[in-house]
Every structure is written in C-alpha cells, then in structure tokens.
Amino acid sequence: MTVMAVAAPHAPTPTPLPKHSSSTSTSTPTPSTIVTPPQPDSIITFTLPDLLAAWPFDHSPNPSSSIVQDSAQWTESYGAFANKPGAQEAFNRCNFGYFASLAYARAKGMHYRVACDLMNLFFVFDELSDEAGGEEVGRQAADIMNALRYPDVVPPGGDSLLGAMTRDFWKRTLQSSSPSSAQRFIRNFDEYTDAVRQQAVEREAGYHRNLQDYYALRRGTIGVRPSFDYFLLPDDIPDEALEHPQIEKLAIDAIDMTILANDIYSYNKEQAVGDDIHNIVSVIMKEKDCTVQQAMDHVGRIYVGIRDDFMENYKNLPVYEEPLNSLVHEYCWGMGQWVTTNIKWSFKSERYFGKNGLSIMTHRRVALRAKA
C-alpha cells in the first residue's frame, strides 16, 4: 500500500471552527428565525437545531425495496417482541429499512441484504438491552459475540434469540464479505456490545457521567463504527488505510455528529420515561444548570464545529494507488452520507416524533412531553 500525496476532493469550503467549538454560527438556528405553528400557553416547547444546514451529502435511497422487505420479514420471524402486545408493530413503524436504504444506497444483492439485516439486528439488540440490567445485557452481548466468532458452533442448550439471529445473519455476511472486512467488523462490534453492557450497568445504578466521560462511552454505544464496515463489505481494504489519521478524524467527526443528532432527536422521548441519563442534552442541562432550549442551542453549536471540522478534513484525504484510492474515497463519502441518513430517518420514521416527523423536520418546534 503506497500513500502518494494529498488531494482535495470536491466539497464545499465552510468557515472552519475549532472541533467541538461552542462558537456561534449562522448555520445554528434561533427560535426567532423560525415560523412555528401556534402553541397553547400551557405547553412547553423547544426548537431543534437545523443539522442539515450547509451539509452537502445526499442522494436517493437504494431502490431494492424487495430486499428491505425480506430482511424485515426475517427479523419478525424471530418473535423478539412476541410477549409485548403492540411492540412488533411499533418496531415496524420505526422503518429501519429506510435507514438501510440511505446508508447503503450503492450496495447490491447479498451485500445489501446483510446490511439491512445488520440494521435490524442493531435495533432489536437496542430494544432488548434498553429494558435489561447490566448482568442480562452482558449475557446478550456474549451470545452475540459467540455467534460472530464461532458461527458454526452452537452452544450447549442452543442459541438465545439474539445468538440465533446473529448466527444466521453472520453466515450470510461471510458469503459476501472479504476476510479483512469480517475481522474488522468483529473487533468493532465487540467494542459496541461491551459499551452497551456498560451503559446498562450504569443505568441500573443511576450513575450520571460528566460531558467528557459521556463521550468516551457514547462513541461505543452508538454503534456507528461497525456500521461503517458494511460500506465496502466485499472489498479487501487493509486496516492501515482506514486507520490513516485523516480518515480517523472523519470517522470520529461522523460518529460524534451521529451521537449529537441522536441525542437531540431522542431527548423528548427519553426524558418522558426517565431514560435520559446517557443523553447529552440531559448531561449539559445538569452540568450547566440550564433549560432544555439552552441545552439544545449549546449542542447545536457543538455540532456546527464538528460539521465544519469534517468538511475541512474531507478536502484533504490521503491518496493511494488504485483501486485502493477509489475505495477509500467511497468509504469517506459513505461516512458523510451516514450523517444525512441518521437525520432523515429520525424524522421519517416514527421512533422519535410519531406521525409528525416530516412536519417537525420543517418547523423544528417540539412540545415537551410530560413525564410518565
């Protein structure tokens, strides 16, 4: 592998801000600039930051809708929510297939199928782990990792639901994955499942992290890095190419933008049920003793700094000999598209905003939900 020079791919040139800066920006909205629907005086509302402002990554979703449907049927066949009336329907309304169609828009055939399966597996584990304590989530994580490491060895007594689901998905993945992609995914997914276990331990104990410690854990629980491994699943890309400092900066920025967007959009739902101790909006409210709107505005300013850092780094990608150079550029484009995917899906699905997501995406005004 030969690094040749530094090239500048086509990208807008925003004014750079320091990473995680709290400086103001014209891209960060204020409530006074937004036309909002009238609200009764008794309802507390807040305005979401406009996270798509000055962001150039976008394109049409993957057209292979039949693959999305096959993956959804496969997921439902495991009956993960059979004992909870209405839970499967609620899961389906989250529209995880739409997420996969944007994130893996250029994948085809079995590559696209297993990418859809991965998104469904992520969210099944997310739902099941959210309701469990640290010890149980530890067992869930162990079952998943056992299936990934030993796909042909079913444990004595058989697989758990997550173990069986992972084993089936992983055997399909190995049919289309390069060895380097498979090994990289196992490493990254191990870090992810362990972070989810640690989050469950802390949730059970009621432990609140400060902002710096929050980032350290949240970069693991968000599950973004192993998702990146499916961008170019069939291609054999050496670790040292993707671990180049410039590309690693892009990865961290994309992960952090995903974290901030996820926490901004999920805050209302999580605070209503008392599951917001691992949400950056709540962390900032507690640390700075501020209102929801002040915390949202603060997170919006942090986001702008990270966004600008990503765009600056995207202009200075390392250049390799072909075909590696094209693959690395495709991978980096995928990270930018991932950020767009997460934002668009958050509004189009019903996971955070119910049936009002697309209208909220326009006016960005949200009514604070009462605590359960």
Side-chain angles (χ1 to χ4, degrees):
M1 178 185 68
T2 304
V3 180
M4 298 168 60
V6 174
H10 296 293
T13 307
T15 302
L17 292 176
K19 190 169 184 178
H20 297 191
S21 167
S22 60
S23 302
T24 58
S25 167
T26 56
S27 297
T28 305
T30 58
S32 61
T33 64
I34 299 169
V35 178
T36 62
Q39 298 287 344
D41 293 339
S42 60
I43 297 178
I44 299 173
T45 63
F46 58 90
T47 301
L48 303 170
D50 182 3
L51 303 186
L52 285 176
W55 188 247
F57 297 89
D58 196 16
H59 72 292
S60 301
N62 195 309
S64 301
S65 58
S66 62
I67 291 178
V68 171
Q69 294 169 1
D70 289 345
S71 181
Q73 292 171 1
W74 168 79
T75 304
E76 190 166 348
S77 72
Y78 282 89
F81 312 110
N83 296 326
K84 295 180 61 179
Q88 183 65 59
E89 290 77 7
F91 181 87
N92 293 343
R93 287 196 299 272
C94 290
N95 202 355
F96 299 119
Y98 177 70
F99 192 112
S101 74
L102 288 178
Y104 305 103
R106 298 176 180 176
K108 297 179 180 179
M110 185 57 71
H111 177 193
Y112 185 42
R113 168 59 195 269
V114 294
C116 292
D117 290 348
L118 173 62
M119 293 300 99
N120 282 311
L121 175 62
F122 261 122
F123 287 107
V124 169
F125 180 41
D126 183 66
E127 292 291 330
L128 297 180
S129 63
D130 272 353
E131 300 177 351
E135 186 175 342
E136 183 178 347
V137 176
R139 287 194 295 269
Q140 293 173 348
D143 290 344
I144 290 171
M145 294 312 303
N146 177 73
L148 292 177
R149 292 191 177 106
Y150 311 106
D152 296 319
V153 182
V154 177
D159 268 321
S160 65
L161 184 149
L162 283 169
M165 192 174 182
T166 303
R167 194 178 306 279
D168 190 23
F169 140 79
W170 189 238
K171 284 183 176 182
R172 272 197 300 279
T173 291
L174 293 176
Q175 295 174 22
S176 58
S177 174
S178 69
S180 61
S181 292
Q183 290 305 310
R184 193 157 42 239
F185 176 81
I186 290 175
R187 291 197 306 270
N188 290 331
F189 212 75
D190 188 29
E191 292 179 3
Y192 157 68
T193 57
D194 188 62
V196 173
R197 178 202 59 79
Q198 181 62 31
Q199 181 185 37
V201 170
E202 295 181 9
R203 181 176 62 239
E204 195 173 25
Y207 177 72
H208 291 256
R209 289 182 173 232
N210 61 31
L211 190 55
Q212 183 176 355
D213 291 342
Y214 166 86
Y215 265 112
L217 181 65
R218 193 72 173 98
R219 283 173 177 157
T221 61
I222 196 70
V224 172
R225 196 177 288 272
S227 302
F228 289 171
D229 296 328
Y230 273 61
F231 289 157
L232 301 172
L233 185 71
D235 297 293
D236 192 11
I237 304 176
D239 287 342
E240 53 265 33
L242 299 184
E243 291 169 0
H244 186 282
Q246 199 69 10
I247 296 173
E248 180 61 16
K249 288 177 185 178
L250 288 174
I252 292 296
D253 284 344
I255 290 168
D256 286 354
M257 282 188 281
T258 305
I259 290 170
L260 296 183
N262 181 264
D263 284 9
I264 285 169
Y265 299 145
S266 66
Y267 169 76
N268 202 22
K269 175 184 176 181
E270 292 174 351
Q271 66 82 27
V273 297
D275 187 28
D276 57 329
I277 66 172
H278 281 281
N279 185 297
I280 195 171
V281 177
S282 293
V283 171
I284 289 174
M285 289 176 67
K286 181 178 178 64
E287 200 166 273
K288 296 185 177 295
D289 190 24
C290 63
T291 66
V292 174
Q293 187 62 66
Q294 289 169 331
M296 286 284 173
D297 293 344
H298 184 82
V299 177
R301 290 190 291 272
I302 294 173
Y303 188 96
V304 167
I306 301 171
R307 178 205 68 197
D308 291 352
D309 191 64
F310 184 99
M311 294 307 306
E312 195 66 23
N313 287 318
Y314 192 78
K315 294 187 299 180
N316 296 286
L317 299 182
V319 178
Y320 300 96
E321 294 179 349
E322 294 294 351
L324 181 59
N325 187 62
S326 295
L327 293 174
V328 168
H329 280 242
E330 178 82 3
Y331 182 88
C332 293
W333 177 88
M335 289 191 285
Q337 178 61 20
W338 178 272
V339 174
T340 307
T341 294
N342 183 56
I343 294 170
K344 284 192 165 186
W345 167 81
S346 295
F347 288 107
K348 184 162 183 175
S349 81
E350 297 183 21
R351 186 172 178 84
Y352 303 130
F353 303 112
K355 296 185 181 300
N356 300 318
L358 293 179
S359 63
I360 290 174
M361 188 176 184
T362 300
H363 59 69
R364 304 198 309 277
R365 198 71 176 167
V366 178
L368 189 68
R369 291 171 55 179
K371 292 188 180 294

